[in-house]
Amino acid sequence: HAGRYAVEVTNTWGCMSERRGEATLDVNGLPVVYFTANRACENKTEFSDVEPSGGTFTGWGTKNGEFIPSEVRQGTAVVTYTYTAPNGCVNSATANIEIIRLPNTPTITANGLSNNLVEVCQGDISVPLKTNVAVGSDTTYSVSYTYQWYMDGFKIPDGVAQDYVATKKGSYAVRVCNQGLCWAENPSIPVTVSQLPPPVPPVIAASSFTFCPGDLVELFVQSEDRGFFQWYKGNGKKMDEVQGEIADTYFTGEAGQYAMDYIDGYGCRSAFSNALTITEHPMPKQPEVVPSQANLYSGLDYKLLVKYPEAGDQYEWYKNTLYADVTDAAFPIKNLSDIDTGSYTVKASNQQGCFVWSEAYPLRLSRSDLFIPNIFTPNGDGINDYFQILGLDDYVENKLVMLNKRGQVIFSQKNYHNTWSGKGFSNDIYYYTLTLKRADGTSRTLYGYVHKKQ
């Protein structure tokens, strides 16, 4: 026991000596020896997780007093550590040291593919990177991985998961640690994320910038690039995709603003092409064919007319689908006969080139033994320039008398030859008396009026 010690000597006569050799005795305690960790990576060539340092190891995997985990490689090593304190006191501790396998060098897949170079389109970058790692065929030990991602050789602070999404250009690699202790000897082969230059916007053109209702305008790519295109239609403020139109040509029958973009072989989309504005012309009013008068008699002059013609429109006439060289709103017919009968249509065109057809007008002759018109137009156009009475040839004799409104005779002719034009008289209403004599000797007198109108 610790304390202060001395000695006294008594001889055989009972005499006691003085106290001699007085000294103090201190008892030193054993050193405290312990392991600070009970795991080691299989590639470690030394083990120092003990306190205090400076002792020696004995047991599996020890050599020259050192514990070398790499000599064990796998499994659990029973190791004793012995330490001699400066005061000469000795103590030891024994521990089971688990040898942790190193992860294999990890690999990276980018966008699901094992590519060392990932080229992405301009714009926001988002490339999913995934770590693949294995410990080999030995499954004796549980595997719990931790990760550290790097960009251009620098740690990514928040890159500590198995997967990482690259949002910037750069070179990405990952290191893997097993059991939170043992890092793979090498990081992965890096994956480089770069951005491709954007495709050049296409140039588009049109067969025409205007069209008539019912027509189509062809829009087409004028530049040499070929690939996948997407057409858009808008109103100058917003452009919407035209669904299904991805070819280099597009036919449209709608007014609006059109543009397209281009998708190259890498899936990169260009900016919009030049925009084209396509406009629709108005359609001319559908013409209606009417005759110059209701009853059409053989031998007289007539006109087929466009009812309410539009100013600026041009009219082309067709008889039985054959073009007749008439481009006015009136189609003149002189000395109407059976040859002139048929189906008449007119094509109305406006100044923009848009056209529309009339309904067909069937021209037929009116059948009657005598026809006396109530109007004639001596304006020199060759149509109804004379007061013509049809059917006079069926009578052996006739006499025409023309009177003005005051009852004065202004023209009289026996066996009238359809030649009175009212020359010298104003446009007005005139009255007639027509006496007719038949071959059987009977006769009749007709009274009426006619309007001279130029």
Side-chain angles (χ1 to χ4, degrees):
H1 298 281
R4 188 172 180 82
Y5 291 88
V7 64
E8 294 177 345
V9 179
T10 303
N11 60 21
T12 57
W13 294 278
C15 297
M16 182 178 295
S17 68
E18 295 180 358
R19 185 176 295 178
R20 295 284 189 267
E22 190 170 307
T24 300
L25 176 64
D26 293 326
V27 178
N28 295 325
L30 295 178
V32 179
V33 179
Y34 61 94
F35 285 79
T36 59
N38 62 353
R39 298 185 305 163
C41 299
E42 65 175 338
N43 64 337
K44 290 292 184 180
T45 58
E46 62 179 22
F47 184 86
S48 58
D49 295 327
V50 290
E51 290 290 346
S53 62
T56 59
F57 292 90
T58 58
W60 187 18
T62 61
K63 185 176 182 181
N64 299 326
E66 298 289 337
F67 175 49
I68 305 171
S70 61
E71 293 291 326
V72 180
R73 300 296 297 175
Q74 63 181 354
T76 301
V78 180
V79 179
T80 298
Y81 178 68
T82 302
Y83 175 76
T84 302
N87 60 10
C89 296
V90 178
N91 202 1
S92 64
T94 301
N96 296 328
I97 307 300
E98 181 184 5
I99 306 302
I100 306 299
R101 291 290 305 271
L102 299 183
N104 291 340
T105 299
T107 60
I108 301 175
T109 57
N111 284 329
L113 301 175
S114 298
N115 294 330
N116 294 331
L117 175 63
V118 178
E119 295 177 308
V120 297
C121 303
Q122 293 288 326
D124 293 337
I125 296 176
S126 180
V127 179
L129 305 175
K130 181 177 178 61
T131 306
N132 298 297
V133 64
V135 295
S137 59
D138 184 7
T139 58
T140 303
Y141 306 100
S142 63
V143 177
S144 175
Y145 292 137
T146 54
Y147 306 86
Q148 179 60 60
W149 286 88
Y150 296 81
M151 186 185 81
D152 296 333
F154 296 95
K155 282 185 178 181
I156 301 173
D158 59 348
V160 293
Q162 180 176 359
D163 302 332
Y164 184 74
V165 178
T167 58
K168 297 179 180 179
K169 295 187 295 183
S171 179
Y172 291 84
V174 66
R175 291 194 67 194
V176 178
C177 179
N178 187 12
Q179 305 294 322
L181 180 67
C182 302
W183 291 91
E185 292 184 339
N186 298 302
S188 67
I189 296 174
V191 170
T192 299
V193 176
S194 65
Q195 282 189 303
L196 295 165
V200 177
V203 177
I204 61 173
S207 58
S208 175
F209 294 103
T210 59
F211 67 98
C212 296
D215 291 343
L216 294 177
V217 173
E218 181 186 9
L219 306 176
F220 54 90
V221 178
Q222 201 170 35
S223 53
E224 295 182 357
D225 292 329
R226 291 294 181 267
F228 294 99
F229 302 94
Q230 177 60 61
W231 289 93
Y232 296 84
K233 178 179 180 293
N235 54 12
K237 296 181 180 179
K238 180 185 177 184
M239 301 295 284
D240 296 317
E241 279 190 9
V242 182
Q243 295 295 323
E245 293 297 339
I246 58 174
D248 55 1
T249 58
Y250 171 51
F251 292 88
T252 181
E254 296 182 2
Q257 189 177 63
Y258 291 87
M260 69 164 0
D261 58 21
Y262 170 68
I263 304 171
D264 65 13
Y266 298 98
C268 298
R269 188 180 293 270
S270 72
F272 274 161
S273 68
N274 55 307
L276 302 179
T277 299
I278 308 299
T279 57
E280 182 183 59
H281 291 310
M283 185 69 80
K285 180 181 177 181
Q286 185 179 24
E288 179 183 356
V289 178
V290 295
S292 57
Q293 58 191 66
N295 297 316
L296 305 178
Y297 293 92
S298 177
L300 291 182
D301 300 333
Y302 295 97
K303 291 181 182 178
L304 295 180
L305 305 171
V306 173
K307 187 177 182 180
Y308 309 126
E310 296 288 325
D313 287 354
Q314 182 177 351
Y315 300 94
E316 298 177 5
W317 290 85
Y318 292 79
K319 177 185 177 184
N320 299 330
T321 72
L322 297 179
Y323 175 66
D325 189 17
V326 177
T327 57
D328 296 322
F331 187 96
I333 300 175
K334 295 184 178 181
N335 299 318
L336 180 65
S337 67
D338 285 330
I339 297 176
D340 298 311
T341 60
S343 178
Y344 288 81
T345 54
V346 64
K347 174 184 175 183
S349 304
N350 58 20
Q351 295 177 344
Q352 290 77 30
C354 303
F355 62 88
V356 63
W357 293 85
S358 71
E359 297 288 339
Y361 176 81
L363 189 150
R364 300 183 182 90
L365 296 181
S366 299
R367 301 300 177 183
S368 176
D369 62 342
L370 188 67
F371 170 70
I372 303 175
N374 56 14
I375 188 172
F376 69 104
T377 56
N379 54 14
D381 65 353
I383 304 297
N384 294 330
D385 285 337
Y386 301 96
F387 179 44
Q388 293 180 300
I389 302 174
L390 298 186
L392 292 177
D393 293 340
D394 294 334
Y395 297 87
V396 295
E397 186 178 302
N398 70 74
K399 182 180 180 180
L400 175 67
V401 178
M402 302 296 300
L403 302 96
N404 61 20
K405 290 181 176 179
R406 293 187 294 273
Q408 298 170 327
V409 177
I410 59 173
F411 176 81
S412 177
Q413 187 178 66
K414 187 176 181 179
N415 295 328
Y416 177 57
H417 301 299
N418 289 329
T419 57
W420 186 63
S421 65
K423 186 176 181 180
F425 298 96
S426 60
N427 293 336
D428 204 345
I429 294 176
Y430 297 92
Y431 299 91
Y432 63 81
T433 299
L434 178 62
T435 302
L436 301 168
K437 185 177 181 180
R438 298 186 180 90
D440 61 2
T442 61
S443 62
R444 63 172 176 161
T445 300
L446 301 176
Y447 303 92
Y449 69 92
V450 63
H451 187 187
K452 177 189 176 187
K453 184 177 180 181
Q454 289 178 297

